[in-house]
Amino acid sequence: MSDEARAQVVTEEEFGRLSDFLYRRTGLVFGAAKHYFVARRLAERMAATRTGTFAGYYALLRRNADDEIEHLINAFTINETYFYREDHQLRCLTGDLLAERVAGRPAGGGIRIWSVPCATGEEPYSLAMWLLENWPPVDRYEVEIVGSDIDTAALDAAEQGYFGKRALMRLSDGLVEKYFVDRGNDSWRIREELRESVHFSRVNLMDAGETAAQGRFDVIFCRNVLIYFDDMSRRLAAENLYECLLPGGFICLGHAESMSRISPLFEVCRYADAIVYRRPWEDRR
């Protein structure tokens, strides 16, 4: 049976069981409108694992055989992004946020920035490039950029640093020439020194232990992922992110997301280029 055919025969009960399994593992919500999307990727995993029925595949998942859970989660995550996406927030970062974070700090101090989820690397590498191009004090501080994602395949791709034409569409020719090696056939690889400037790690935003293990950050970019969660998962993710911010640290969300509707823990900060959210200097818990 082809993947296409398998996708057509997933029952509503099977769809519900798998959606519930994914929700409990990741916080991601797949409603009825996502039936075909879920069924198609389920069919791909059933073919890859040579399990002929949903019951057989679900039993495999419950045993976590050969890390199949990781493969399944990788299949359901969305990694569509590009360099310099929502660059108004990057302008806000270098125009306002970092100035507040380094105020009073001596040269040589550390600045930590977290990109989560980081997809295949476009967002954390964008941060590194933007700082080099637009933040003159960059060499006076120890800047650490961490990219994290639940999708281990995406993290592997991010570390490799190969990108296609669409990912680079917002960059000028000068930036592409400066930071990428042209490999021909509309393929570029980000230069080694920039790859080494970003550290990558796996993290599940639903897991307080995994998020806490990343340490605390001055600024977190967490864009376009909370929209895939339900209210309960959003609140849990927001609380975990709050714990990962230093007092006075900032979090930037996607343009369709608002922390004000998720959690009262954060302060709203309105700057010329963007609205962001701050962990208050005094703990609100």
Side-chain angles (χ1 to χ4, degrees):
M1 183 183 291
S2 67
D3 290 355
E4 189 76 24
R6 286 191 180 91
Q8 299 296 330
V9 299
V10 175
T11 68
E12 290 298 326
E13 180 185 357
E14 292 167 346
F15 169 76
R17 290 177 68 188
L18 187 66
S19 297
D20 182 62
F21 179 89
L22 287 165
Y23 173 73
R24 285 185 279 109
R25 289 281 177 168
T26 67
L28 297 171
V29 176
F30 296 97
K34 295 288 186 180
H35 187 123
Y36 183 78
F37 173 84
V38 171
R40 184 64 183 268
R41 279 150 183 80
L42 170 63
E44 292 170 355
R45 291 313 310 160
M46 288 172 62
T49 55
R50 300 179 184 275
T51 47
T53 64
F54 175 83
Y57 181 75
Y58 197 70
L60 177 69
L61 273 182
R62 298 295 296 270
R63 295 195 304 272
N64 194 19
D66 297 324
D67 298 321
E68 178 55 25
I69 289 174
E70 180 177 311
H71 290 299
L72 182 70
I73 291 173
N74 290 353
F76 280 86
T77 51
I78 299 169
N79 299 308
E80 183 70 17
T81 188
Y82 45 85
F83 283 85
Y84 281 15
R85 185 180 187 182
E86 298 188 42
D87 56 0
H88 63 284
Q89 290 186 339
L90 299 177
R91 291 194 296 274
C92 186
L93 174 70
T94 49
D96 297 291
L97 307 187
L98 288 179
E100 291 193 28
R101 295 309 299 164
V102 301
R105 294 190 192 182
I111 291 291
R112 300 191 78 222
I113 304 174
W114 194 18
S115 171
V116 57
C118 70
T120 48
E122 290 88 339
E123 303 226 358
Y125 288 135
S126 289
L127 289 167
M129 291 168 52
W130 186 272
L131 293 184
L132 290 171
E133 292 293 316
N134 299 284
W135 197 48
V138 67
D139 291 329
R140 289 167 39 198
Y141 297 93
E142 293 293 330
V143 179
E144 180 184 4
I145 298 174
V146 179
S148 301
D149 205 288
I150 195 173
D151 185 338
T152 54
L155 289 170
D156 288 342
E159 290 183 320
Q160 291 298 313
Y162 293 99
F163 299 98
K165 188 175 183 179
R166 186 181 184 284
L168 275 58
M169 64 184 178
R170 296 287 304 277
L171 302 180
S172 67
D173 291 343
L175 286 175
V176 173
E177 184 176 354
K178 187 174 181 179
Y179 292 108
F180 295 83
V181 176
D182 189 346
R183 302 176 65 249
N185 298 318
D186 288 339
S187 175
W188 289 263
R189 189 177 196 190
I190 202 156
R191 294 190 182 277
E192 183 176 0
E193 54 268 31
L194 206 59
R195 293 202 307 276
E196 292 178 346
S197 72
V198 178
H199 304 289
F200 292 98
S201 62
R202 182 195 179 279
V203 75
N204 182 347
L205 287 175
M206 295 294 99
D207 190 316
E210 288 188 14
T211 53
Q214 309 302 314
R216 284 189 166 183
F217 295 87
D218 294 277
V219 184
I220 297 174
F221 283 78
C222 182
R223 305 191 290 188
N224 305 306
V225 65
L226 298 182
I227 54 176
Y228 296 105
F229 293 171
D230 66 358
D231 289 345
M232 183 181 298
S233 297
R234 287 192 193 100
R235 284 195 296 273
L236 178 57
E239 290 173 1
N240 291 338
L241 291 165
Y242 179 89
E243 296 296 341
C244 288
L245 276 174
L246 291 161
F250 298 97
I251 182 166
C252 303
L253 303 181
H255 71 277
E257 300 165 319
S258 170
M259 193 61 86
S260 302
R261 294 195 291 268
I262 300 173
S263 169
L265 291 171
F266 300 84
E267 295 175 344
V268 180
C269 301
R270 302 177 188 276
Y271 294 98
D273 290 303
I275 297 173
V276 303
Y277 303 89
R278 175 166 51 201
R279 174 175 175 151
W281 289 98
E282 297 79 23
D283 199 330
R284 290 189 172 184
R285 287 179 180 273

